[in-house]
Amino acid sequence: MNLIQWLNNETSIIVNSLNSMNKSSMYVKETIGEEGKKSIHNILYNLRCALFFNVQNKDKLEAEKFKTSTISNLNMCALELNNLILKISGESELDDEKNSYMYKEQRANKIVIELMKKLPHICKVLQKDIEAAYKGDPAATTFEEIFLSYPSLEATSIHRIAHELYKMDVPIIPRVMSEYAHQSTGIDIHPGAKIGESFFIDHGTGVVIGETCIIGNRVKLYQGVTLGAKSFSADPKGTLIKNVKRHPNIEDDVVVYAGATILGGDTTIGKNSVIGGNVWLTHSVPPHSKVYNTKNSAMIKEEASFSLNL
């Protein structure tokens, strides 16, 4: 049997099997799909353009045109986000009223309105993040350079949008947003993480910040830092227990250098502390501490000089 004959005979059987498996699996009926992911990426782009309007609008003569365009884009974002939230509104087992389309539509409307109202606040906080990057990196020359090229600002701006949706119990969408930032920047911030003002990640690649992490103001992280969980508790059936504090607290004015790993929901790094590179911490550190490794040190060996006489 050649390939064409086989495909004509067997493809429909395979598709039916796959369809049956999907229907009987754990996947929910309400999903945004791959097109929904693309829609979320588009929403993020337009929201970030609105947050940094002056970066997008470089022609003073066209200011009114850009303003009109931004209003139009924000309105489209709001409607698109509203539709996505409606798509993932699951069924309530206990309340028939919450299963009605009217209730779901009202809830989606409320979520989108709250996010839109939060945009000025998000912008204000992000401006402080940009200032922290400018003050914290001697290589930074302008604020615009930071907005256009720094992975920290891209990841943080997306996080601050996703976090607002996370706080309103929106499923799926905040995580898709955070993973988009992760793919783009190499910085993995769970949308549930609480991050204070004037936050800066220098270089950024490989940074991981867990869901229940709480970070204070004026905190600076370097590449490869992990703020993670020490372990995962399970119930008697072996299922992981969710919604418990698993990740550390980082208080104000802390600096964590490259490659450091800080684990555990009961671990707190006190304010004004410095955590050195490649440090492994699973316990709390008091304020004004300096933590660094002492066992291993770099060895420098100079090659002996010699001359060759001919």
Side-chain angles (χ1 to χ4, degrees):
M1 181 182 296
N2 62 32
L3 178 59
I4 299 299
Q5 290 176 320
W6 188 89
L7 291 174
N8 289 336
N9 293 334
E10 301 295 332
T11 303
S12 62
I13 298 174
I14 293 172
V15 169
N16 288 338
S17 177
L18 292 172
N19 188 40
S20 176
M21 292 172 66
N22 274 275
K23 284 183 176 179
S24 62
S25 71
M26 66 183 69
Y27 302 127
V28 295
K29 293 180 181 178
E30 299 79 12
T31 180
I32 58 173
E34 194 65 30
E35 286 302 313
K37 284 179 64 175
K38 294 177 183 177
S39 179
I40 290 170
H41 299 169
N42 185 58
I43 289 169
L44 284 172
Y45 173 78
N46 284 303
L47 287 178
R48 294 181 74 236
C49 285
L51 289 169
F52 298 98
F53 176 80
N54 288 332
V55 177
Q56 302 299 318
N57 175 20
K58 302 305 294 181
D59 188 344
K60 300 294 184 182
L61 297 176
E62 298 293 329
E64 196 60 36
K65 179 180 178 182
F66 272 87
K67 180 180 176 182
T68 303
S69 175
T70 301
I71 291 171
S72 176
N73 287 340
L74 277 182
N75 289 342
M76 287 171 53
C77 281
L79 294 172
E80 203 167 355
L81 181 59
N82 189 78
N83 289 335
L84 287 172
I85 294 170
L86 279 173
K87 282 184 179 181
I88 56 175
S89 298
E91 299 295 321
S92 172
E93 296 179 2
L94 302 176
D95 195 332
D96 290 337
E97 181 185 352
K98 290 184 178 181
N99 290 329
S100 70
Y101 183 83
M102 182 177 294
Y103 174 87
K104 293 176 182 179
E105 186 176 37
Q106 289 174 346
R107 179 176 180 271
N109 289 176
K110 182 179 179 181
I111 289 168
V112 174
I113 290 169
E114 286 301 311
L115 178 64
M116 298 291 282
K117 288 164 62 176
K118 280 280 188 179
L119 290 180
H121 171 72
I122 293 172
C123 184
K124 184 177 180 180
V125 175
L126 286 171
Q127 287 176 347
K128 293 183 179 180
D129 294 333
I130 292 174
E131 290 175 9
Y134 184 79
K135 293 176 181 177
D137 184 2
T141 58
T142 64
F143 287 176
E144 184 172 348
E145 176 189 24
I146 292 165
F147 169 78
L148 292 174
S149 65
Y150 277 45
S152 171
L153 198 276
E154 181 174 352
T156 304
S157 62
I158 291 173
H159 170 76
R160 295 202 184 280
I161 295 168
H163 183 64
E164 294 300 328
L165 294 173
Y166 176 92
K167 289 193 298 183
M168 291 185 278
D169 296 321
V170 177
I172 302 176
I173 294 172
R175 194 61 188 270
V176 173
M177 289 180 169
S178 67
E179 287 305 319
Y180 175 66
H182 184 194
Q183 292 167 19
S184 300
T185 67
I187 298 170
D188 185 1
I189 310 175
H190 192 284
K194 298 178 182 178
I195 299 177
E197 298 179 351
S198 301
F199 179 63
F200 178 42
I201 306 174
D202 204 352
H203 306 295
T205 306
V207 167
V208 177
I209 302 174
E211 178 183 19
T212 61
C213 192
I214 300 175
I215 297 175
N217 298 322
R218 299 173 300 281
V219 170
K220 183 177 182 180
L221 309 179
Y222 283 83
Q223 69 272 17
V225 168
T226 297
L227 306 178
K230 195 185 306 182
S231 60
F232 302 104
S233 301
D235 63 21
K237 295 181 179 179
T239 304
L240 293 181
I241 299 174
K242 300 179 184 294
N243 301 317
V244 295
K245 184 77 168 74
R246 308 183 304 279
H247 306 98
N249 304 316
I250 311 296
E251 294 185 347
D252 295 347
D253 301 295
V254 168
V255 178
V256 186
Y257 280 96
T261 298
I262 304 172
L263 306 178
D266 56 353
T267 300
T268 296
I269 306 302
K271 63 181 182 179
N272 290 299
S273 292
V274 176
I275 309 301
N278 297 314
V279 164
W280 176 279
L281 275 177
T282 58
H283 58 271
S284 295
V285 169
H288 309 284
S289 297
K290 288 187 177 180
V291 183
Y292 52 91
N293 293 321
T294 59
K295 290 184 179 181
N296 299 318
S297 59
M299 299 295 295
I300 301 175
K301 183 178 179 181
E302 295 186 13
E303 293 292 337
S305 61
F306 65 94
S307 60
L308 182 63
N309 297 319
L310 298 175

